[in-house]
Amino acid sequence: MNSFFKYMLAIVSAIVAQSAFAQTHQLEKLWETDTVVRVPESVLPDLKKGVLYVSEIDGNPNAIDGKGGVAKIGLDGKIIDLDFTTGLNAPKGLGGFGNELYAADLSEVVVIDMNTGKVKNKIVIDSAKALNDITVDDKGVVYVSDSKTKKIHRIEKGKVSTFLTNIGGVNGLKAVGADLYILGGQKFMKSDSKGNLTPITTLNCGGDGLEPVGNGDFLITCWSGHIFYVTASGKIETLLDMQDKKVNTADLAYDAAKHILYVPTFWGKKVMAYKLITTQ
């Protein structure tokens, strides 16, 4: 009898394993804004308030011109305020903690009041040349990547230090617990709190934004127009390829409860929303 139960358990386990392996994902488009968002690079959701904060470069991505800012858009895609924050230069990555919004703006991290849109502070990073993505851990520590100097900086209580160096093509960052997930060119990796790196997988394009799904897997964009589903073990599944349409997919956001992606299109000047659907 024990042998029979062991045999049946082996069959059930094999079926479950096959089903898990066959599991696939796809995107269903929900909405897109008009082409009025001025070169959007990053989206940060505030689900309690029902809004999306969107960084607007509005021109040259490297220019110190005071034309950039942050827009507010509803979760339904309706424009709330394209001038929520003004007077920035070329803001890219966004992060949030409490009522503070952090924007990576070339050589400084701009701290913005989420309630008013007013700039509260600017944290200058002396060696920075092209600050790109931002993430904030659950203790309020800010991490920001610099794509030109290949560095990741750490800001704690207003004090700046360099966390990692020589990360080629460094862009997307995401703090999850004690780990920092990193996109460096085509490489997807994670770092522990001491800066020890562990490779996860290699993409076929330069990674831009990344968001955890909530089960150890990630959603990853490439600016070239790709969105991937990447499992915790490093398996890559292509969800979207808009390279031929010349539609960029920059630093996305993800609502894990409703399975909705919010994707800025950079030169496309709009934000798009997709539903993540899991099929077998």
Side-chain angles (χ1 to χ4, degrees), residues 4-23:
F4 173 76
F5 280 124
K6 288 180 180 179
Y7 174 73
M8 292 304 297
L9 180 62
I11 291 176
V12 171
S13 298
I15 292 172
V16 170
Q18 277 189 331
S19 297
F21 183 79
Q23 190 174 60

Side-chain angles (χ1 to χ4, degrees), residues 65 74 80 83 90 92 98 114 142 154 170 195 203 214 216 219 242 261:
D65 54 14
I80 298 172
D83 298 306
K92 298 178 180 70
M114 279 188 176
V142 178
R154 186 177 188 272
V170 65
L203 306 170
L219 294 163
M242 297 192 292
L261 296 75

Side-chain angles (χ1 to χ4, degrees), residues 167-173 181-189 203 205-208:
I167 308 294
V170 65
N171 191 338
L173 304 176
Y181 289 82
I182 302 165
L183 290 172
Q186 294 176 266
K187 297 179 181 179
F188 178 37
M189 64 196 96
L203 306 170
C205 52
D208 195 313

Side-chain angles (χ1 to χ4, degrees), residues 124-145:
V124 177
I125 299 179
D126 292 333
S127 65
K129 294 183 180 180
L131 296 181
N132 203 327
D133 198 20
I134 276 187
T135 188
V136 187
D137 70 14
D138 54 13
K139 295 181 181 178
V141 178
V142 178
Y143 294 88
V144 57
S145 61

Side-chain angles (χ1 to χ4, degrees), residues 259-278:
H259 312 292
I260 297 177
L261 296 75
Y262 300 100
V263 184
T265 64
F266 210 84
W267 299 121
K269 298 184 179 180
K270 59 187 176 182
V271 175
M272 304 182 298
Y274 292 89
K275 179 93 170 183
L276 177 66
I277 299 172
T278 301

Side-chain angles (χ1 to χ4, degrees), residues 90-264:
K92 298 178 180 70
L94 297 176
F97 188 78
N99 287 317
E100 292 186 333
L101 177 68
Y102 297 88
D105 196 9
L106 297 180
S107 63
E108 56 192 16
V109 173
V110 181
V111 185
I112 300 165
D113 188 318
M114 279 188 176
N115 295 317
T116 66
K118 302 297 183 184
V119 174
K120 296 176 61 176
N121 189 21
K122 292 184 178 181
I123 302 170
V124 177
I125 299 179
D126 292 333
S127 65
K129 294 183 180 180
L131 296 181
N132 203 327
D133 198 20
I134 276 187
T135 188
V136 187
D137 70 14
D138 54 13
K139 295 181 181 178
V141 178
V142 178
Y143 294 88
V144 57
S145 61
D146 187 334
S147 298
K148 284 192 176 179
T149 64
K150 304 179 184 180
K151 295 178 181 179
I152 298 174
H153 300 285
R154 186 177 188 272
I155 304 172
E156 185 173 10
K157 297 179 180 179
K159 294 184 178 180
V160 180
S161 60
T162 299
F163 180 64
L164 285 170
T165 61
N166 297 317
I167 308 294
V170 65
N171 191 338
L173 304 176
K174 191 67 181 184
V176 180
D179 294 324
L180 180 66
Y181 289 82
I182 302 165
L183 290 172
Q186 294 176 266
K187 297 179 181 179
F188 178 37
M189 64 196 96
K190 73 174 179 178
S191 168
D192 64 16
S193 60
K194 296 181 180 179
N196 299 308
L197 295 171
T198 301
I200 298 173
T201 195
T202 300
L203 306 170
N204 60 10
C205 52
D208 195 313
L210 70 163
E211 284 291 323
V213 175
N215 60 356
D217 300 345
F218 274 81
L219 294 163
I220 291 179
T221 60
C222 286
W223 190 82
S224 54
H226 296 87
I227 301 178
F228 302 105
Y229 189 102
V230 180
T231 67
S233 63
K235 179 184 175 184
I236 301 171
E237 183 182 347
T238 301
L239 301 180
L240 192 68
D241 181 352
M242 297 192 292
Q243 189 170 9
D244 290 344
K245 297 179 181 179
K246 301 185 185 301
V247 176
N248 303 120
T249 44
D251 188 7
L252 83 163
Y254 183 62
D255 179 347
K258 295 184 177 180
H259 312 292
I260 297 177
L261 296 75
Y262 300 100
V263 184

